[in-house]
Amino acid sequence: MATLLLRLAGPLQSWGEESKFETRRTMDMPTKSGVIGMLAAAMGLPRDASLERLSALRFGVRVDKEGELLRDFHIAKGRKDKDAYRTYRFYLADAVFLAGLESEDGAFLDEIAAALRAPAFPLFLGRRACPPTMPLLLGVRDTDLLTALREEPWLLPAWRQHREDAQLRIVTDCAPGEQGTLLRDVPLSFSPVHREHTWRAVRDHGYVKAVPTITETEHDAFAGWE
């Protein structure tokens, strides 16, 4: 068993499970559909490609920093001024998540990791307006999903950790035989002609105490002058 870990952080993120018409909402953590879409983009898969292998990966998220809900609006105009209307988009500002994807096929996870290091298409945190900050790829851990999410050190900088809540929430796909809450965010097709999603059961594991970051990279603006 192995788990691929991703650091999902940036100025803005938006993970819509269900958005209709003029209002585009976001969930409070990354969706499986959004993360699988990012992996598919990194691997260069066309929109009508099969997503069976990617969607079969067991998915989980740890909330390292919740972020703030931000509402933005745009005024869209038709051919006539009287056709103008407002559209609303919701984002998570300054959020940080640890996402994991578990598989018994470690070689497949290594393939995904290689694609993330040199992505075929640009990568986004849910929407095109939300590029990720680096590092995105944390690597592959030789352990199960839940253990990897519990043991990975806190993703916030060391100087910031004392300012934030050290209790981190974890939500994963249910293991076989478990019952949980249903979410409709498993992608079957990203085809622009017919996008299709199905359901998954998720379990909220509650909160774990963060493992503090032991070391921190110091940045010296004058180091290049030596």
Side-chain angles (χ1 to χ4, degrees), residues 12-16 31 34-35 38 123-131:
L12 294 176
Q13 305 184 39
S14 188
W15 306 98
T31 60
V35 173
M38 184 168 59
L123 308 181
F124 307 105
L125 302 177
R127 290 206 191 114
R128 292 184 182 181
C130 307

Side-chain angles (χ1 to χ4, degrees), residues 39-218:
L39 301 185
M43 300 172 75
L45 299 182
R47 282 190 169 271
D48 57 355
S50 172
L51 300 172
E52 184 177 355
R53 292 186 73 192
L54 289 173
S55 295
L57 298 172
R58 189 176 177 217
F59 177 68
V61 175
R62 188 183 78 191
V63 182
D64 283 35
K65 188 175 187 303
E66 291 184 350
E68 299 291 335
L69 185 65
L70 173 69
R71 185 182 74 168
D72 189 20
F73 77 91
H74 299 258
I75 296 178
K77 288 189 176 182
R79 294 183 179 180
K80 299 180 181 180
D81 288 343
K82 66 179 181 179
D83 296 330
Y85 63 95
R86 289 183 177 182
T87 64
Y88 295 92
R89 293 169 173 83
F90 290 82
Y91 300 89
L92 297 175
D94 198 28
V96 181
F97 303 100
L98 174 68
L101 298 120
E102 177 193 271
S103 176
E104 294 183 356
D105 187 352
F108 183 45
L109 295 183
D110 290 337
E111 179 184 342
I112 297 173
L116 289 168
R117 294 187 187 98
F121 300 111
L123 308 181
F124 307 105
L125 302 177
R127 290 206 191 114
R128 292 184 182 181
C130 307
T133 57
M134 297 295 108
L136 171 65
L137 173 65
L138 298 180
V140 177
R141 307 290 187 258
D142 294 325
T143 187
D144 64 275
L145 175 65
L146 190 55
T147 301
L149 293 177
R150 284 174 172 166
E151 294 183 352
E152 191 70 13
W154 205 358
L155 299 183
L156 296 188
W159 63 267
R160 250 183 110 168
Q161 291 179 8
H162 72 281
R163 303 181 183 181
E164 304 291 342
D165 188 352
Q167 297 295 319
L168 311 182
R169 181 183 172 206
I170 292 179
V171 177
T172 71
D173 289 351
C174 286
E178 286 185 335
Q179 294 184 347
T181 303
L182 292 178
L183 289 178
R184 190 168 178 265
D185 71 337
V186 180
L188 299 178
S189 173
F190 287 130
S191 169
V193 178
H194 180 60
R195 294 189 181 187
E196 188 177 3
H197 294 76
T198 190
W199 300 87
R200 66 181 172 116
V202 300
R203 177 182 174 186
D204 192 328
H205 297 268
Y207 294 82
V208 298
K209 185 173 176 56
V211 178
T213 302
I214 299 174
T215 61
E216 179 182 4
T217 301
E218 296 292 342

